[in-house]
């Protein structure tokens, strides 16, 4: 016989009829923690976004380039106002810092509006809505083995437009809507996802993005021209360009930043001016949806008014559509996720030595 030690449940714990633990005594602050705080919709938002200020600010989860964009604008403009403006005011006019300040404020405000606003996110279908759409799709399919099509066709300005089904949002996307893989949202009039502003660019913030790009091109050109004028005036009188750079070393950094960024910013401004005049989006232009790249016979843009002025007014001056996700709204009590039940306490374990167990042949 061999001694063997094992764990056995205490039989006294099994014989007790009451298995629920006794609640702790009520403290002085327990009366205040009765009903739970109502939760807002942004707290359970399914997309890959971050919310701040109780849902008032929405940005993409991957918004690490936004501080770089804001930092370049602040540093370059700050150096211009500190090192170049005093000399230009003394030798030219006092309007230079006023114009630069107005452009700087316009750039920063339009950038923040683009980055912190809802681009036009479409709410996902509820389980009941998704089930109803699935029934409609199944009923529209044939009796063969082939699955029913996941597209619908509508007519816009006498032209057929296909609506694609989004498997993530469980709905047919509205016209000009596309699903952003980075934010994991369907965005109405989706233009593109811009990492420089840290957000998608869509129907509700495209006008802010366009104002940001155009005003930034004016600001960059203005600073670039003023810095060259500053260095030219300092180098006059036989001092030379080297002496001017030594007296104002910050102007070198401004020249480098403006020189390498002005070309891309001006090109981007011209490209989006063409899109606004044509009532197109970057996504539609790249895919060639209405330019005949897909070989369609009737490939005209059904959303264009065939007038540059009307297209610009429709894109930039139309009424601001409301946000559809209602991120600051409260969840109904029945839709709140239930609280996890408390884990039951296991009965205590006691160690017991048993010499009657056979541990091996004797």
């Amino acid at each position: 016989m061999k001694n063997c030690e094992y764990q056995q449940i205490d039989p006294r714990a099994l014989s007790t009829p009451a298995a629920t633990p006794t609640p702790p005594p009520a403290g002085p602050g327990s009366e205040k923690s009765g009903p739970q705080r109502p939760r807002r919709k942004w707290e359970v938002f399914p997309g890959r976004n971050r919310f701040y200020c109780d849902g008032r600010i929405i940005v993409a989860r991957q918004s690490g380039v936004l501080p770089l964009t804001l930092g370049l604008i602040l540093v370059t403009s700050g150096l211009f106002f500190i090192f170049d403006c005093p000399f230009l005011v003394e030798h030219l006019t006092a309007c230079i810092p006023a114009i630069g300040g107005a452009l700087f404020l316009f750039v920063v405000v339009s950038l923040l509006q683009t980055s912190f606003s809802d681009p036009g996110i479409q709410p996902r279908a509820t389980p009941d809505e998704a089930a109803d759409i699935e029934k409609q799709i199944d009923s529209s399919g044939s009796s063969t083995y082939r699955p029913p099509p996941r597209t619908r066709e509508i007519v816009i300005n006498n032209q057929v437009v296909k609506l694609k089904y989004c498997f993530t949002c469980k709905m047919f996307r509205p016209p000009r809507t596309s699903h952003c893989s980075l934010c994991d949202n369907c965005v109405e009039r989706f233009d593109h996802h811009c990492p420089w502003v840290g957000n998608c660019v869509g129907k509700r913030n495209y006008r802010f993005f366009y104002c940001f790009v155009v005003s930034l091109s004016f600001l960059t050109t203005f600073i670039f021209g003023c810095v060259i004028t500053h260095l030219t005036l300092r180098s006059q009188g036989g001092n030379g360009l080297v002496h001017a750079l030594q007296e104002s070393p910050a102007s070198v950094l401004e020249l480098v930043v403006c020189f390498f960024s002005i070309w891309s910013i001006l090109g981007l401004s011209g490209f989006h001016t063409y899109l606004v005049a044509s009532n197109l989006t970057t996504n539609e232009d790249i895919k060639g949806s209405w330019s005949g790249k897909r070989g369609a016979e009737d490939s005209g843009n059904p959303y264009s008014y065939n007038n540059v002025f009307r297209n610009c007014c429709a894109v930039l001056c139309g009424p601001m559509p409301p946000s559809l996700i209602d991120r600051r709204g409260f969840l109904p009590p029945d839709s709140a996720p239930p609280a996890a039940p408390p884990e039951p306490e296991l009965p205590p374990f006691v160690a017991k030595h048993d010499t009657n167990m056979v541990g091996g042949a004797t």
Side-chain angles (χ1 to χ4, degrees):
M1 301 294 291
K2 185 179 181 181
N3 293 336
C4 180
E5 181 178 339
Y6 67 97
Q7 301 290 334
Q8 182 179 0
I9 299 177
D10 188 2
R12 291 177 298 177
L14 299 177
S15 62
T16 55
T20 57
T22 57
S30 60
E31 297 179 357
K32 299 181 181 180
S33 61
Q36 294 184 353
R37 178 184 65 86
R39 304 182 65 184
R40 296 188 183 270
K41 294 182 179 180
W42 67 265
E43 300 183 60
V44 294
F45 187 73
R48 299 172 187 168
N49 297 89
R50 294 179 180 177
F51 297 86
Y52 302 95
C53 299
D54 199 17
R56 293 179 177 87
I57 296 177
I58 174 175
V59 294
R61 185 169 299 179
Q62 299 177 354
S63 58
V65 189
L66 175 60
L68 176 62
T69 306
L70 193 59
L72 286 175
I73 296 173
L74 293 177
V75 170
T76 307
S77 301
L79 294 176
F80 170 72
F81 289 124
I82 294 174
F83 294 98
D84 297 291
C85 282
F87 182 87
L88 295 175
V89 169
E90 182 181 353
H91 292 79
L92 293 180
T93 176
C95 296
I96 292 179
I99 298 174
L103 289 174
F104 170 75
L105 291 178
F106 201 81
V107 167
V108 173
V109 170
S110 57
L111 171 62
L112 297 181
Q113 285 182 313
T114 306
S115 304
F116 297 156
S117 59
D118 172 22
I121 299 175
Q122 294 289 312
R124 300 189 181 187
T126 61
D128 295 336
E129 294 173 346
D132 183 64
I133 293 176
E134 289 292 338
K135 290 180 181 178
Q136 296 178 12
I137 295 176
D138 294 337
S139 61
S140 63
S142 59
S143 59
T144 60
Y145 67 92
R146 298 183 62 182
R150 295 271 175 174
T151 58
R152 287 181 177 176
E153 293 183 351
I154 61 174
V155 179
I156 299 178
N157 292 332
N158 299 323
Q159 187 167 341
V160 178
V161 177
K162 289 186 177 182
L163 305 182
K164 296 182 179 180
Y165 181 81
C166 180
F167 289 90
T168 302
C169 301
K170 304 296 182 182
M171 67 173 185
F172 284 96
R173 302 169 188 162
R176 313 187 85 177
T177 300
S178 183
H179 192 89
C180 177
S181 59
L182 296 177
C183 296
D184 200 23
N185 296 313
C186 278
V187 180
E188 188 176 3
R189 201 185 183 276
F190 177 77
D191 191 87
H192 68 289
H193 182 94
C194 183
W196 295 99
V197 302
N199 201 356
C200 285
V201 179
K203 185 176 182 178
R204 297 191 72 253
N205 65 346
Y206 181 81
R207 64 188 69 186
F208 304 134
F209 175 78
Y210 180 76
C211 293
F212 164 69
V213 172
V214 173
S215 60
L216 183 61
S217 63
F218 278 106
L219 178 63
T220 307
T221 306
F222 180 76
I223 293 178
F224 189 68
C226 289
V227 171
I228 293 179
T229 304
H230 176 203
L231 295 177
T232 303
L233 293 176
R234 279 190 180 273
S235 61
Q236 290 178 353
N239 295 326
L241 182 60
V242 178
H243 179 72
L245 295 177
Q246 291 176 352
E247 290 184 350
S248 181
S251 300
V252 180
L253 179 60
E254 299 172 46
L255 278 178
V256 171
V257 174
C258 293
F259 179 79
F260 285 102
S261 60
I262 190 172
W263 312 111
S264 59
I265 296 175
L266 288 177
L268 191 63
S269 301
F271 174 68
H272 279 279
T273 301
Y274 154 74
L275 294 179
V276 170
S278 306
N279 201 345
L280 287 170
T281 64
T282 304
N283 186 45
E284 293 170 349
D285 185 75
I286 292 176
K287 292 181 177 180
S289 303
W290 318 117
S291 61
K293 296 180 181 179
R294 295 186 175 183
E297 297 179 358
D298 189 8
S299 59
N301 184 7
Y303 309 105
S304 176
Y305 294 94
N306 298 321
N307 184 283
V308 175
F309 179 76
R310 294 185 64 185
N311 285 337
C312 294
C313 291
V315 176
L316 303 177
C317 304
M320 174 64 70
S323 178
L324 300 179
I325 55 177
D326 189 22
R327 55 187 183 272
R328 299 198 70 245
F330 290 99
L331 288 172
D334 53 350
S335 65
E343 297 182 359
E345 294 185 1
L346 297 176
F349 291 94
V350 294
K352 181 179 180 181
H353 295 273
D354 195 348
T355 58
N356 296 325
M357 293 188 62
V358 179
T362 55

